[in-house]
Amino acid sequence: MNISPSDAKSQIMDQIRQEAALNNARALINKLNNHCFDKCIPSPGTSLSKREDVCLSACMEKYMATWNTVSRTYIAQIQKNPTEGGGGGVDGLI
């Protein structure tokens, strides 16, 4: 089975998109962990207090909601102006 050059290029581009999405997700999780941990846990111990647990949950929910809003806006902007989008992902916007 032969793959045409355009099919090969399409497969490579799909793989690059998937890897970029995975990298963006990893960056989001890393930033979320760092931000919320620093904000909610002033002195780490062997377990989380109820207050720390509630703070972490609220922080993560807010961070994810904000990230989703920024991501949707960024994607809409790229779709509106594909030549100006750059293709860098949302990582720099967080």
Side-chain angles (χ1 to χ4, degrees):
M1 175 163 97
N2 290 335
I3 297 176
S4 71
S6 64
D7 287 342
K9 181 179 177 180
S10 177
Q11 287 176 350
I12 291 170
M13 292 301 293
D14 286 344
Q15 184 177 358
I16 290 170
R17 283 187 199 98
Q18 289 173 0
E19 289 177 13
L22 185 58
N23 285 336
N24 283 338
R26 284 182 181 145
L28 169 65
I29 291 168
N30 188 34
K31 288 180 181 185
L32 188 143
N33 284 337
N34 289 336
H35 174 77
C36 293
F37 186 87
D38 291 344
K39 178 182 178 203
C40 296
I41 305 176
S43 55
T46 58
S47 63
L48 294 176
S49 70
K50 181 68 175 169
R51 184 183 137 298
E52 291 168 336
D53 189 40
V54 169
C55 179
L56 280 173
S57 294
C59 179
M60 289 188 288
E61 286 178 22
K62 288 177 186 177
Y63 205 87
M64 290 295 294
T66 301
W67 187 83
N68 286 334
T69 300
V70 170
S71 180
R72 280 192 302 271
T73 303
Y74 181 74
I75 290 168
Q77 186 66 30
I78 288 175
Q79 290 173 344
K80 189 171 121 181
N81 300 314
T83 58
E84 298 175 17
V90 297
D91 185 45
L93 297 177
I94 300 174

